[in-house]
Amino acid sequence: MKKNIFLLFFILTSISCQSGELFDKYFINKSLRIDFVLSGDSASQSAALFQLREEPVWGGPVNNLIDEFGYGGYYIQVFDKTSNKLIYSRGFNTLFEEWRSTPQATTEVQAWINSISVPYPKAPVVLELSARKKEDMQFHRLMKLEVDPTSIFIDRSQLKNNEISQIQYKGDPSNKVDLVFIGDGYTKDEQDKFDEDAKRFTNALFKTAPFTEHQDDFNIWSVNIISEDSGTDISGEGIFKNTALNAGFYTFGVDRYLTTSDAKAIRDAVWNVPCDAVFILVNSEKYGGGGMYNFYAIGTAHNPLTIEVFVHELGHSFAGLADEYYTSETAFDELYYNIKGEPWEPNITTLVNFDAKWKDLLPAGTPVPTPSEEKYIHNIGAFEGAGYMAKGIYRPVDHCMMNDLTPFCPVCSRAIKQMILYHTDKKYK
């Protein structure tokens, strides 16, 4: 049943929320959205505030407020200004981070708007945005900002009241994973098509392990956004469309890489919906997609491999999983990862700190690195070739959703389950 903003807000604020002590002390059940600009090139980057917004819903966890995963290329931390106590943290990725690894970034300086949301503070806080450096794999501060939650400079306006549907509702957003589908390239006359596509993707998700056993942990929402044109940009073929989220193929020159750099449009679309994960359904039959951790995932709705791409990209954006393939074309140079350090993604390793990855899942007697031989190939090991690199990085199995769109392996499944537990405020370590 479609709901407008007022009814949705009433439902969400009427829910009895079993908040954690830390949340009740420092936050209210709203979001503080931070839109910021990342600028730079391959050698350096900087960050600056674009705007702050107060938004009416916080759908994230209220107990698991401090991020212990350490995932992502960027990190947001919220400190209580009076005590300097860390009260919230979360890692995430951006498309700008990937752009910095392309040849274009060696000759140009660009600036991109990005966005992240945190619980809305009751009292003044200090926000720190950090970025991970490839050289040492550590986070370094890019921006520090003091925020008074009563400030007149925080935007409190209502944005466009798009139609919202509950495809599946299993309970309080604070202890559920709230997955939101939004469409791009669906015209006014194609909104019913989008509704059906969102339902089809929902059904497919819960037929895919390990999501199958966690259906009751998810709320699924869809938001109807109207585009002027049907379809999406395919710039390499000279096709350009006027769409709500400005998605398109040929990201960084790669024909199958479908993304949008318009992070603000995405956040504007979900401003009044509980949102732990966003998937953008693009009205196209072309093969392709993309996904960035705790940012968004995107894919087309009508290709024969649509569902596999959807689940693969959700693996990136929801669970922080890396690509395990190493032979396909990419826009990145061969040193996308620093093989002298351990990558943060849970499903690839340089063996620098294999104990922190999936060493505990190896069958007894498995050699590391693991030869691609018949006696090992059907089990968990450490097989060379992953993360766009043929040498120096290892994957858990020969075939997996994060490699060739086959079912998730035990390592990736464990990472997905841990993230579900995190978002549902359960023990996840």
Side-chain angles (χ1 to χ4, degrees):
M1 179 178 180
K2 297 281 178 82
K3 293 175 170 59
N4 62 33
I5 177 177
F6 303 108
L7 180 56
L8 177 65
F9 181 72
F10 174 79
I11 290 172
L12 293 173
T13 53
S14 298
I15 292 170
S16 176
C17 177
Q18 301 297 318
S19 299
E21 181 180 349
L22 186 67
F23 190 93
D24 287 339
K25 182 176 181 179
Y26 293 107
F27 301 109
I28 61 176
N29 194 28
K30 295 183 179 181
S31 295
L32 175 65
R33 179 175 130 193
I34 305 115
D35 292 343
F36 60 96
V37 177
L38 291 173
S39 62
D41 55 19
S42 61
S44 64
Q45 64 177 321
S46 61
L49 179 67
F50 183 79
Q51 72 167 354
L52 297 173
R53 278 188 48 81
E54 177 185 316
E55 297 186 333
V57 178
W58 172 250
V62 297
N63 287 306
N64 292 332
L65 295 175
I66 307 303
D67 181 5
E68 297 181 16
F69 290 104
Y71 294 172
Y74 297 87
Y75 212 67
I76 186 75
Q77 294 176 292
V78 182
F79 297 89
D80 174 60
K81 184 179 178 182
T82 301
S83 65
N84 201 36
K85 178 183 176 65
L86 177 65
I87 56 177
Y88 181 83
S89 60
R90 196 79 168 101
F92 63 101
N93 281 358
T94 72
L95 190 59
F96 180 77
E97 174 188 10
E98 295 185 16
W99 175 79
R100 294 186 64 228
S101 295
T102 67
Q104 187 182 30
T106 64
T107 60
E108 295 183 11
V109 174
Q110 292 193 5
W112 299 29
I113 296 178
N114 298 271
S115 184
I116 190 73
S117 292
V118 303
Y120 201 89
K122 290 182 175 180
V125 295
V126 176
L127 301 176
E128 290 192 5
L129 175 68
S130 301
R132 194 190 301 270
K133 285 189 176 181
K134 184 184 294 186
E135 292 77 12
D136 62 7
M137 309 293 286
Q138 302 300 310
F139 287 107
H140 299 265
R141 191 170 72 196
L142 285 180
M143 181 177 72
K144 183 176 181 179
L145 180 69
E146 293 186 5
V147 177
D148 180 347
T150 66
S151 171
I152 63 171
F153 300 111
I154 297 176
D155 186 356
R156 294 174 173 85
S157 63
Q158 290 189 5
L159 299 179
K160 185 176 181 180
N161 184 20
N162 298 303
E163 289 187 297
I164 299 167
S165 298
Q166 289 179 353
I167 298 176
Q168 170 177 297
Y169 189 79
K170 294 293 184 177
D172 187 339
S174 69
N175 53 42
K176 301 296 177 185
V177 179
D178 289 278
L179 171 61
V180 183
F181 287 103
I182 53 179
D184 198 37
Y186 292 84
T187 64
K188 183 178 180 180
D189 293 336
E190 293 176 310
Q191 293 305 301
D192 288 345
K193 180 181 180 182
F194 166 73
D195 293 339
E196 291 304 313
D197 288 341
K199 292 174 184 177
R200 176 166 54 90
F201 273 60
T202 298
N203 291 334
L205 178 66
F206 296 123
K207 292 179 182 178
T208 304
F211 296 100
T212 308
E213 62 192 89
H214 289 279
Q215 183 167 357
D216 287 345
D217 290 320
F218 280 77
N219 293 330
I220 310 293
W221 309 81
S222 65
V223 180
N224 290 75
I225 308 172
I226 296 173
S227 292
E228 292 297 318
D229 293 337
S230 180
T232 192
D233 291 353
I234 310 176
S235 59
E237 300 175 14
I239 298 172
F240 296 91
K241 303 285 188 174
N242 181 5
T243 63
L245 302 179
N246 300 302
F249 285 95
Y250 284 88
T251 302
F252 311 144
V254 178
D255 62 346
R256 72 183 186 284
Y257 199 10
L258 172 66
T259 68
T260 174
S261 60
D262 197 345
K264 187 175 181 298
I266 297 172
R267 299 312 304 183
D268 285 352
V270 299
W271 72 283
N272 57 340
V273 188
C275 184
D276 293 313
V278 173
F279 192 86
I280 302 170
L281 276 171
V282 175
N283 187 19
S284 172
E285 297 179 355
K286 185 174 169 63
Y287 173 82
M292 288 141 282
Y293 175 60
N294 203 22
F295 202 50
Y296 71 82
I298 186 171
T300 57
H302 305 294
N303 185 271
L305 291 175
T306 276
I307 299 303
E308 290 84 353
V309 172
F310 159 54
V311 179
H312 172 97
E313 302 302 349
L314 197 63
H316 289 310
S317 66
F318 177 68
L321 300 176
D323 283 317
E324 295 177 13
Y325 55 79
Y326 55 94
T327 58
S328 300
E329 177 196 6
T330 71
F332 316 125
D333 62 38
E334 62 180 0
L335 298 178
Y336 185 76
Y337 288 97
N338 177 3
I339 62 173
K340 295 181 180 179
E342 186 65 47
W344 58 263
E345 294 92 336
N347 63 319
I348 61 174
T349 181
T350 55
L351 303 179
V352 170
N353 185 15
F354 189 40
D355 288 350
K357 294 301 178 71
W358 62 89
K359 187 176 181 180
D360 61 310
L361 298 180
L362 294 185
T366 303
V368 177
T370 309
S372 295
E373 300 173 0
E374 183 64 27
K375 62 186 298 186
Y376 301 117
I377 205 69
H378 302 293
N379 298 319
I380 299 174
F383 299 96
E384 193 166 29
Y388 325 121
M389 299 170 62
K391 299 292 183 181
I393 297 188
Y394 302 82
R395 65 192 188 279
V397 297
D398 196 39
H399 299 284
C400 176
M401 181 64 71
M402 303 313 294
N403 181 8
D404 51 12
L405 303 183
T406 53
F408 284 112
C409 73
V411 173
C412 292
S413 293
R414 180 170 69 174
I416 291 169
K417 291 177 182 179
Q418 287 177 333
M419 198 59 68
I420 292 172
L421 293 175
Y422 169 84
H423 281 285
T424 54
D425 260 340
K426 300 169 186 174
K427 297 294 184 182
Y428 59 92
K429 289 291 186 180

